Amino acid sequence: MDLICKTVIFFLLVSLSLGTDGELAPNFLTMAGPLPSELAERLGLQEQVLPKEQQGAAVAEAQGYPCQPDLVASELPRYFSRLRALGVTHYKLLLPWARVLPKGNTTDVDGAQVGCYRQLLEALAAAELRAVLVLHQGRVPGAVAVLASGRRARAFSELFVEYADFSFRAFGDLVDVWLSFSDLPEVLQSLPYTEPQERVRALAAAHEGFYTMLHEQVSPAGKESRVFQYDSQTFCDSIKWQLLHAVSVKLPLYSMFASFMALAPTLEILTSIYYISSETNTLQENPDAVLAPRSSYQAVWEMFAEQSESERDSFLQDVFPSGFLWGISTGAFNIEGAWAEDGKGESIWDQFGHGGHVHMNQTADVACDSYYKTSYDIYLLKGLRPQLYKFSVSWSRIFPAGTNHTINSKGVDYYNRLIDRLLDSNIEPMVTLFHWDLPQALQALGGWQNESIIDAFVSYADFCFSTFGDRVKLWVTFHEPWVISYAGYGTGEHPPGITDPGAASYKVAHTILKAHAKVWHLYNDKYRSQQRGKVGLVLNSDWAEPKTPSSSEDVRASERYLQFMLGWFAHPIFVNGDYPDILKAQIQEVNQQCPMTIAQLPVFTEEEKTLVKGTADFFGLSHYTSRLVSAGTNGTCTPGYESIGNFSLHVDPSWPQAASSWIHVVPWGLRRLLKFVSQEYTGSKIPIYIAGNGVPTGDTGDLLNDTLRVDYFRQYIDEALKAVKLDAVDVRSYIARSLLDGFEGPVGYSLKFGLHHVNFEDSNRPRTPKASAYFYSGVIEKNGFPSQGLGRSSAPVVFDRPVPSKLPNLPASEVPSKAKIVWQKFSSQTAFERDMYFYGTFPEDFTWGVSSSSYQIEGGWDADGKGPSIWDNFTHVPGNVNNNDTGDIACDSYNRVEEDIYMLKALGVKNYRFSVSWPRIFPTGRNSSINSHGVAYYNRLIDGLIANNITPIVTLYHWDLPQTLQDIGGWENDEIIDLFDSFADFCFQMFGDRVKFWITFNEPNIISWLGYGEGLFPPNVKDPGNAPYRVAHILLKAHARVYHTYDDKYRASQGGVISMCLFISWAEPKTPSDPRDIEAADRYLQFLVGWFAHPIYKNGDYPEVMKWKVGNRSELQNLPSSRLPVLTAEEQEYIRGTADVFCFNTYSSKIVSHSTTRLSPFSYNYDQEISVTVDSSWPSSALPDHRPVAWGMRRLLNWIKEEYGNPPIYIIENGVGAKTTSDVDDNARIFYFKTYIDEALKAYKVDGVNLKGYNAWSLMDNFEWVDGYEPRFGLHQIDFDNPNRPRTPKRSAVYYAEIIRNNGIPLPKEDEFLYGEFPENFSWSVATAAYQIEGGWRADGKGLSIWDKYAHTPLRIGKDATGDVACDSYHRIEEDVEMLKSLKVSHYRFSVSWSRVLPDGTTRYINEKGLNYYERLIDALLAANIVPQVTLYHWDLPQALQDVGGWENDTIVQRFKEYAEVLFQRLGDKVKFWITLNEPYNTAYLGYGTGTAAPGVSVRPGRAPYVVGHNLIKAHAEAWHLYNETYRAKQGGLISITINSDWAEPRNPHSQEDIEAARRFMQFLLGWFAHPIFKNGDYSEVMKRRILERSLAQGLNESRLPEFTESEKQRIKGTYDYFGLNHYTSVLTYNMNYPKNVKSYDSDRGVATVTDRSWLGSGSLWLKVTPFGFRKILRWIKEEYNNPPIYVTENGVSERGAFEFNDTWRMHYYRSYINEALKAIVLDGVDIRGYTAWTLMDNLEWAVGYEEKFGLYHVNFSDPALPRRPRASAKYYSQIINCNGFPDPAMGPHPCLEQEPEDPTPGAADRVNFLGLDLTSQRAEIALYVLFALSAVGALGLALFAYKYGKLSKRSHKKSHIELSSKM
């Protein structure tokens, strides 16, 4: 029954003593009383002791009525004082109804008793004890029973209320807690009613009346009183009595409970865990009391206070509940950088940093550069594999001014991109709206002290919900608002730096709470139903322990600290909408004690309380450390956090100190805090998210092996686990701080919270996982700390794997093989056809991977019983390896399985190819010695791969033979076949349940040649003519044996595939038209690949050409038999078909030609009779024979397809090395993968190659054999100088991860072709320039120009060309106009030769004949309805003016103006479109800087270009004003300038430094002239600042860049009618720091450029085909210069070589570039008015002469008649003009489309099939003639060959070195 009773009490405690908020009553009591029996007896109070039968465990409570006035004053004060010192707060008294009111009602009052009790109550008050008064205990007085029965009876409830009312008035000012009844069974039994239910109702009515009376009479008077009906014991007794009675009379139990539950609104139960014994005055647990704490803090404190240290610190080995969320966090201002990029507004942290308030004046301007490194951060997250990523949105990046009046779309794009990438990686975003970085514009209005910010925050939140809420389901309104209030507005340590802890701090918190509430309601009302997300906030809190546990003051101070820190925000939201009583009371008390108001706590209105209360769907908790708290010293009236709270903070000196002074490692505080939060705020209704926990390390010492952080996480996470498992706290997530080291506020970068190290000294901001990242990743994977005894999982393996299928039997290869069609198909490709980039994706089951090998990465060369390998012995001999490097440690992968798997997870690979070290498994090479440690290592690796859905591809032999086996002959001993089979059998047996893809040998051709031929590799056998063949023979048989072992014993149960992996370089014939070179290339491949592949994939035997060549040469060498061993028929049958797939490694290509090689010495190399070279124009790499030649990949794949029947093909290794110790920004490797993978894609999509997988080499930098660690092939950089071998992802890793994610190279959306038309009246034009086409250099009085002189100066122009005649357009107006008419252009842009009109450059003499030429040209144009566009100056300055300084002499400004006026006067009535200057940049920079253009000045590169540019700008402005003021009104034309510019892309788009370099490039090139004219009349700030800084650093007193006067600025600004743009190509830019003493434009700009290897080339080295850049530069001009009207005045592409009519590359160029212009108009709103193609016809291309041809018309300069012939591109351009764009073919044939060349894709135009070849019609015609010629010569050639061969075979051949294609 006791158990039942206590269960009922517990139920009632929870259900009835919870407030309306669902929270436990916060004020619990520590109580004593009544008097001890001994004292009661001494005072003569024996008659008050309860009868024996009524005495229970709480007998002391009922003893005595101590109302003896003469003893009270002397005895009781000392007794009460002792109780108070013990921590007692309340004292219980029993008021005797019968003695106070002897007749039962107020008609008779005993005044003496009333006075005695008042004296007693006053004594309690004097001792600071509060009174708990029980109105009645036990049987009702007889007088009351009489009054309540009989005919004239009064209701019992009425009598009790009358008694209670009297008591309230008599004692109410001295009583704190009122109890109506005690000992309920006695009360109920003594009531004068017969029915039990009637007694219960009477008792209930009495209590209800009592309760109402109290609230009506006492509470309104201001006295805070509390009302209880029963204490716990008497209530329990009552329950027992009622239950027994119900059973005896068979009443339904629910009716009994109903009677009590009806009292719920008024009923409270007085309980306590601890009770001061009246007998001993000691704190004891009351065994009969219900265990419910009187305050959450006290409960938690007491719950853990008695824990022993060992119990407290014990480690719980368990896992978190399923569905637990693991996360990692960052904050926007900590990591993003890009502080002013793309329109972001300034935040308070930006201003704070720029104001010098941060350690070492550091700023967050770049931080981790995460704004540009989304892919990098996602990469790291994929390695960690959390379920949550908590990040914050930068308010000022979205709303630069803080309000929705300005929305920054680029900032929105950044977060959209981040969110999408997270979801794509199965990581849920948890988005914080405010993480401290307030827009400075709002701070200027008062920030969080101004309540108007609430509306701004709601508006910002509304935007975020509406924009991101479809994908974001977890929102945090505020992150750690305590920090904002305390540090930002209290101490001023954080921005905005306000120091006002007494007022501003509380005001800000008040505003934040209301802002949070409004945002929560916004989401709740507007978004929750559709988005179904959660909104909460993250509150930070330390745990507080009393400094002196026995001190009640310190306990109360600890609770006060928690309420000031956590309750300040949590209580209003999670409890009652208001601040905690403790906080309010403390502030009130402080203000009362001090002469002035110290703290101003705002007051919530009732409406605001309702608004705030309950506004969180989860409780986000941020916790780092704990504090010891002691009570403060009252009386300090200086505003401060501690003084206001009246507490002092301390730490235990034994607690470990972190790098930050405020963090000590106190793990157990987290568990206690979680329990407190659960009990005080959340209960079981609201989940807790641990949203911030971590520890900083300093910026010195070992930054990567952060064992302190690992220990911190282990302990703190385990404490969270205890809270969940042992304390039943509802914790749903754990979020570690932080993903990255970042900007940590006032301490800058000196504290590091990151799990990934960021090198802030490196502009690339490389990120390297620390030990803590690997540890945390493991915790996430295991969901906690599972028991160590679980062992390996036996779960079935489920992943994609190749399906084994029997390959077809193939006949022997012909000589040359049928695969020669590959050369016939591809070797005649043009560069355009060959290099055209292809977009597409691979099939869904395509497998992406990365590779490594055991010796290269594992290290542990002699660890745990591993035996030595041949590479161990080899590397330990000095001189064998570069730098004497060894693989003893290598990447230490043997000890770093978790690190390696982390990288693989980050990459997102589907497979990982690694090799098993034979001597690690069998130290002696034999199965008699099995090393269990080695087996365990591979099991651990394989299990880790399987757990992460990564397929292991396992190589059995990757060159590291056990040395013991080499000692018996190695691969030259047949015995090794059985030993290798034994090793393989063991591996199949041990690992085959999980490994489904096996490779027997890696590159057996390399083993054979480099190990046993050249002897470069161990075992260093130098026998080039015999040993390679013997070894290969054994390798083939060993492979076949192992294959059959797998096939016979394991395949049925394991279902895997097995193959060999060959090394192959593509062989390109030196002369594709020479059959001997074709045969030589085929022979090279047969000796290299067919050596092993032919026996396996064809007929079981070596290639015929190999047998033929080696056999014949052996005979010529007088050997009795061939040096190539013979495979018996039985062996052939055994070997044939022993592969399920075709695996190979490839890196580069070779150029191969036939060669007659020497017979001595014997050599596998010479046996091939070939010569191998490379093209010097191919890019270089770390290894001389590893030049990137991407197109070789496609051809090689096609060759394998043709030669081996298109088997399933896997590329197992492909990559490139760099010779550097650090290449995290490995641009060249990205180019390599970008082009090689694309060629593989072409082979798969276009050619039908059965390609199944691609693996990059390699996972990480490693030991590269004899080259040691010098060449770096890794996707991850390894620091080999660091014993921890840290692994840093390179940019190529991030790039490759993107390739994998996209499953190939899909066409970017922005590159999709847009069909549509240009605006009506769009101008279509074509351009030329006077010097380039006119000729007539001295005709009709023309003066000399600077280009005349330059061209006649030796070594200035390519092939000594000149413009003396050029295209002779001076004499061919009619021909030129006919070409223009044929093109259907509406405009024609040409330039006037200044020296043809004004021979000496001045108006002293006008050459009428020269002027007449232009008049006639203009008339002819107008007659053809073509609008002339006239350029005044296109570089050909009169030499006479150059003789007086040219553009360096400012008098030229006037000369130019005069020249312009002549043309305006004479031609202006017919010319309505003027261009003042063409490409002033080239005039200034090339003409006067580098000297590579006329006039060839290069002696003042740091000064002259700027002076020239200055004068050019002023000259333009004067000409514009002249036209504007004098001629515009009459002539009505347009006049402006044409500026040339490439588009600049950052080399690394993820680097802010490279992005800034790109911007600088644009401002120094295009902006040099555009900024003054189209913006403000002056140079850009970046130009002025950089040139000034460098000038001053060089010892100059002023900038080398001239300055404009204010009047000049006004005159220059706005001197345009349109923006003339010449654009051809794009570049990749990066920062380049020149020595400070270098004075030049280039050094001032500080930018270097490269081009992307995947971009199509042209006839000009500088011109790469980059259509995307055209749209970007057009959009940039729109945004930079306020969308001026743009005329594209030049755009085109060059070629070199002989004339080809079908210039598909040029058609492709125009199609793609013009389409980008259409996109700029339609999609970007750029105001483009016209487009001009460069150029009408081939002409003098300045310094390169006539070698580069841009013309739509070909000009034959070798023919004196200079005939012009249209290329196919001319007709194509005219078609675009005719259609005014690109009609959509989906709409059907458009009338504008005539029969035109097809879409200019490679090989699409004018093709015919000739002898199975796809050729142009012209090439087919040529081929036909060649075929006839070859047939005629064939017989003669055959006869001559036979004769010569007979003679030559008798001679000894000269020795020549032939290089084998090898990895080395």
Side-chain angles (χ1 to χ4, degrees), residues 211-281:
Y211 183 89
T212 304
M213 177 71 68
L214 177 83
H215 280 274
E216 287 178 353
Q217 296 194 21
V218 179
S219 295
K223 173 69 177 172
E224 181 183 341
S225 297
R226 283 167 285 185
V227 186
F228 297 84
Q229 181 177 11
Y230 320 106
D231 66 54
S232 59
Q233 183 60 46
T234 57
F235 185 75
C236 188
D237 292 340
S238 171
I239 292 289
K240 281 191 279 187
W241 183 85
Q242 286 287 307
L243 289 174
L244 289 170
H245 186 82
V247 170
S248 67
V249 298
K250 299 183 179 179
L251 289 173
L253 291 179
Y254 75 82
S255 66
M256 296 295 96
F257 280 108
S259 300
F260 283 99
M261 293 307 292
L263 303 177
T266 63
L267 192 132
E268 294 179 59
I269 302 171
L270 178 64
T271 64
S272 62
I273 292 180
Y274 291 97
Y275 197 86
I276 300 294
S277 167
S278 299
E279 303 302 318
T280 63
N281 286 341

Side-chain angles (χ1 to χ4, degrees), residues 1800-1856:
T1801 52
D1806 194 22
R1807 315 296 291 185
V1808 297
N1809 188 284
F1810 177 78
L1811 298 180
L1813 302 179
D1814 185 28
L1815 301 176
T1816 67
S1817 58
Q1818 288 176 305
R1819 287 181 174 173
E1821 184 180 358
I1822 294 167
L1824 184 62
Y1825 290 123
V1826 170
L1827 184 63
F1828 282 130
L1830 289 174
S1831 300
V1833 171
L1836 178 61
L1838 187 60
L1840 286 170
F1841 176 78
Y1843 172 73
K1844 286 284 186 183
Y1845 185 77
K1847 291 184 70 176
L1848 289 171
S1849 61
K1850 296 176 183 177
R1851 301 180 190 167
S1852 63
H1853 298 280
K1854 285 189 177 180
K1855 185 177 180 180
S1856 63

Side-chain angles (χ1 to χ4, degrees), residues 315-390:
F315 196 84
L316 177 63
Q317 209 81 38
D318 205 345
V319 295
F320 286 84
S322 175
F324 190 81
L325 298 174
W326 296 95
I328 191 84
S329 70
T330 60
F333 82 94
N334 303 108
I335 68 163
E336 281 181 8
W339 79 278
E341 300 287 292
D342 292 339
K344 177 187 172 289
E346 187 181 30
S347 77
I348 55 175
W349 278 100
D350 294 324
Q351 187 166 104
F352 190 76
H354 296 153
H357 302 299
V358 177
H359 172 71
M360 294 179 66
N361 291 319
Q362 292 167 342
T363 72
D365 291 0
V366 180
C368 304
D369 207 10
S370 284
Y371 180 71
Y372 291 115
K373 286 185 163 57
T374 300
S375 298
Y376 284 64
D377 293 346
I378 294 292
Y379 188 87
L380 302 179
L381 289 165
K382 284 166 64 181
L384 274 176
R385 292 273 177 95
Q387 289 87 42
L388 291 178
Y389 177 43
K390 179 181 177 289

Side-chain angles (χ1 to χ4, degrees), residues 1383-1410:
L1383 284 175
K1384 302 176 184 175
V1385 292
S1386 60
H1387 292 63
Y1388 174 47
R1389 178 189 170 214
F1390 62 93
S1391 73
V1392 173
S1393 168
W1394 189 344
S1395 60
R1396 193 178 296 284
V1397 175
L1398 304 177
D1400 67 353
T1402 72
T1403 53
R1404 286 197 293 267
Y1405 171 69
I1406 298 174
N1407 180 18
E1408 291 296 337
K1409 288 184 179 180

Side-chain angles (χ1 to χ4, degrees), residues 1317-1625:
E1317 295 184 9
F1318 284 84
E1320 195 175 349
N1321 299 321
F1322 191 79
S1323 300
W1324 293 100
S1325 184
V1326 69
T1328 62
Y1331 186 75
Q1332 292 180 272
I1333 68 164
E1334 283 180 6
W1337 74 295
R1338 300 311 306 266
D1340 298 332
K1342 176 188 172 291
L1344 289 174
S1345 76
I1346 55 174
W1347 272 97
D1348 291 322
K1349 182 171 181 179
Y1350 191 78
H1352 286 89
T1353 304
L1355 305 179
R1356 291 293 198 178
I1357 307 289
K1359 292 192 174 180
D1360 294 326
T1362 72
D1364 294 359
V1365 179
C1367 305
D1368 200 24
S1369 284
Y1370 185 68
H1371 302 107
R1372 296 171 188 252
I1373 289 177
E1374 293 76 14
E1375 287 183 53
D1376 290 357
V1377 173
E1378 282 302 316
M1379 290 191 294
L1380 294 166
K1381 287 161 67 176
S1382 177
L1383 284 175
K1384 302 176 184 175
V1385 292
S1386 60
H1387 292 63
Y1388 174 47
R1389 178 189 170 214
F1390 62 93
S1391 73
V1392 173
S1393 168
W1394 189 344
S1395 60
R1396 193 178 296 284
V1397 175
L1398 304 177
D1400 67 353
T1402 72
T1403 53
R1404 286 197 293 267
Y1405 171 69
I1406 298 174
N1407 180 18
E1408 291 296 337
K1409 288 184 179 180
L1411 200 53
N1412 177 255
Y1413 162 69
Y1414 297 111
E1415 289 170 340
R1416 285 185 292 113
L1417 173 58
I1418 291 166
D1419 288 343
L1421 291 171
L1422 294 174
N1425 203 27
I1426 297 171
V1427 177
Q1429 297 171 303
V1430 179
T1431 304
L1432 298 176
Y1433 181 73
H1434 199 131
W1435 305 357
D1436 48 350
L1437 185 70
Q1439 182 61 39
L1441 295 183
Q1442 181 58 38
D1443 291 342
V1444 294
W1447 287 103
E1448 288 186 273
N1449 185 337
D1450 58 11
T1451 61
I1452 201 166
V1453 174
Q1454 183 61 28
R1455 300 290 84 77
F1456 182 69
K1457 181 179 179 182
E1458 293 163 358
Y1459 161 58
E1461 184 153 31
V1462 170
L1463 297 188
F1464 296 156
Q1465 287 174 346
R1466 300 292 295 271
L1467 306 177
D1469 57 335
K1470 297 176 183 177
V1471 175
K1472 306 303 176 187
F1473 194 107
W1474 295 97
I1475 297 169
T1476 56
L1477 303 170
N1478 178 76
E1479 300 184 355
Y1481 167 85
N1482 282 339
T1483 300
Y1485 175 69
L1486 299 179
Y1488 292 85
T1490 64
T1492 53
V1497 175
S1498 59
V1499 293
R1500 295 176 296 281
R1503 174 70 177 171
Y1506 300 130
V1507 172
V1508 168
H1510 208 65
N1511 288 332
L1512 284 164
I1513 291 169
K1514 291 194 286 185
H1516 155 78
E1518 290 306 314
W1520 188 91
H1521 281 290
L1522 171 66
Y1523 189 83
N1524 191 56
E1525 295 158 11
T1526 308
Y1527 297 97
R1528 190 189 298 277
K1530 180 174 62 175
Q1531 296 179 359
L1534 300 174
I1535 183 168
S1536 198
I1537 189 171
T1538 276
I1539 300 171
N1540 67 298
S1541 183
D1542 301 338
W1543 172 246
E1545 283 280 299
R1547 182 181 67 171
N1548 182 351
H1550 309 294
S1551 164
Q1552 186 166 328
E1553 184 180 73
D1554 284 7
I1555 288 164
E1556 287 171 358
R1559 288 207 193 97
R1560 202 159 64 243
F1561 180 93
M1562 294 301 297
Q1563 289 295 351
F1564 265 75
L1565 178 51
L1566 188 142
W1568 185 0
F1569 299 92
H1571 200 280
I1573 294 167
F1574 293 88
K1575 283 202 115 169
N1576 65 354
D1578 199 4
Y1579 301 113
S1580 66
E1581 287 303 315
V1582 68
M1583 266 194 93
K1584 292 194 294 183
R1585 185 185 71 253
R1586 283 189 65 91
I1587 298 170
L1588 175 62
E1589 287 173 357
R1590 287 187 62 84
S1591 297
L1592 297 178
Q1594 290 158 354
L1596 303 177
N1597 296 323
E1598 60 182 4
S1599 175
R1600 286 178 277 102
L1601 180 69
E1603 292 184 8
F1604 292 115
T1605 65
E1606 288 305 315
S1607 62
E1608 285 174 337
K1609 290 177 189 176
Q1610 293 307 311
R1611 190 152 180 83
I1612 293 165
K1613 178 182 174 184
T1615 54
Y1616 68 91
D1617 298 330
Y1618 59 85
F1619 194 114
L1621 174 67
N1622 291 357
H1623 172 76
Y1624 291 87
T1625 192

Side-chain angles (χ1 to χ4, degrees), residues 836-838 1233-1242 1305:
M836 183 72 174
Y837 207 70
F838 185 84
F1233 287 132
K1234 187 175 185 180
T1235 51
Y1236 268 80
I1237 291 172
D1238 194 61
E1239 292 298 321
L1241 181 64
K1242 290 179 191 176
I1305 310 166

Side-chain angles (χ1 to χ4, degrees), residues 840-1144:
T841 56
F842 290 91
E844 286 187 15
D845 62 350
F846 193 81
T847 180
W848 295 96
V850 69
S851 296
S852 71
S853 84
S854 54
Y855 187 77
Q856 293 180 274
I857 69 166
E858 283 179 7
W861 79 280
D862 61 350
D864 298 333
K866 176 187 171 290
S869 75
I870 56 175
W871 275 96
D872 292 321
N873 280 20
F874 179 75
T875 58
H876 293 159
V877 176
N880 278 348
V881 177
N882 185 35
N883 296 320
N884 290 323
D885 293 333
T886 74
D888 291 359
I889 301 174
C891 305
D892 200 24
S893 286
Y894 180 68
N895 298 303
R896 301 183 185 278
V897 171
E898 292 77 14
E899 284 92 325
D900 291 352
I901 291 175
Y902 185 96
M903 293 186 289
L904 295 165
K905 290 190 295 181
L907 279 170
V909 292
K910 291 184 178 181
N911 79 71
Y912 175 44
R913 183 274 212 153
F914 62 94
S915 72
V916 174
S917 168
W918 190 345
R920 193 177 298 285
I921 300 290
F922 292 177
T924 65
R926 302 170 188 270
N927 60 11
S928 57
S929 62
I930 298 172
N931 177 19
S932 61
H933 294 289
V935 174
Y937 163 67
Y938 292 112
N939 270 326
R940 199 162 64 247
L941 173 58
I942 292 166
D943 288 344
L945 295 172
I946 300 299
N948 289 285
N949 296 313
I950 299 169
T951 301
I953 297 179
V954 178
T955 301
L956 293 170
Y957 185 75
H958 199 130
W959 309 357
D960 47 350
L961 187 70
Q963 182 62 42
T964 53
L965 299 188
Q966 184 57 44
D967 294 341
I968 62 168
W971 291 108
E972 293 186 272
N973 184 342
D974 279 323
E975 184 186 344
I976 204 169
I977 296 173
D978 292 333
L979 295 171
F980 182 62
D981 183 53
S982 171
F983 167 60
D985 195 335
F986 179 86
C987 291
F988 296 152
Q989 184 180 353
M990 187 59 59
F991 311 125
D993 58 330
R994 289 151 293 150
V995 177
K996 309 301 176 183
F997 197 132
W998 295 95
I999 293 170
T1000 55
F1001 291 99
N1002 180 76
E1003 300 179 352
N1005 37 13
I1006 299 298
I1007 301 168
S1008 304
W1009 174 240
L1010 293 184
Y1012 292 83
E1014 286 194 325
L1016 290 177
F1017 285 6
N1020 311 102
V1021 175
K1022 294 180 173 63
D1023 182 7
N1026 295 289
Y1029 297 123
R1030 290 197 306 269
V1031 167
H1033 206 66
I1034 291 173
L1035 288 169
L1036 271 167
K1037 291 192 283 186
H1039 159 80
R1041 173 75 66 81
V1042 167
Y1043 179 90
H1044 286 292
T1045 296
Y1046 189 80
D1047 206 40
D1048 298 342
K1049 290 179 66 175
Y1050 299 101
R1051 193 188 297 277
S1053 61
Q1054 296 181 1
V1057 298
I1058 187 166
S1059 186
M1060 174 187 279
C1061 186
L1062 298 170
F1063 170 78
I1064 315 177
S1065 291
W1066 173 242
E1068 188 65 18
K1070 185 175 183 181
T1071 307
S1073 60
D1074 185 345
R1076 293 210 308 170
D1077 282 2
I1078 293 281
E1079 285 190 32
D1082 185 70
R1083 194 160 61 247
Y1084 170 89
L1085 290 172
Q1086 292 296 350
F1087 266 76
L1088 183 64
V1089 186
W1091 191 4
F1092 295 88
H1094 195 280
I1096 293 171
Y1097 295 96
K1098 288 210 151 185
N1099 67 348
D1101 199 4
Y1102 297 113
E1104 292 301 316
V1105 69
M1106 201 172 179
K1107 293 192 293 183
W1108 172 261
K1109 283 290 180 187
V1110 180
N1112 284 339
R1113 288 175 64 85
S1114 297
E1115 187 175 349
L1116 291 170
Q1117 292 158 344
N1118 299 315
L1119 298 175
S1121 62
S1122 176
R1123 286 179 281 106
L1124 181 67
V1126 175
L1127 289 162
T1128 67
E1130 184 182 4
E1131 287 172 337
Q1132 290 178 27
E1133 185 59 30
Y1134 192 70
I1135 292 169
R1136 183 171 60 80
T1138 54
D1140 303 314
V1141 295
F1142 192 103
C1143 300
F1144 74 98

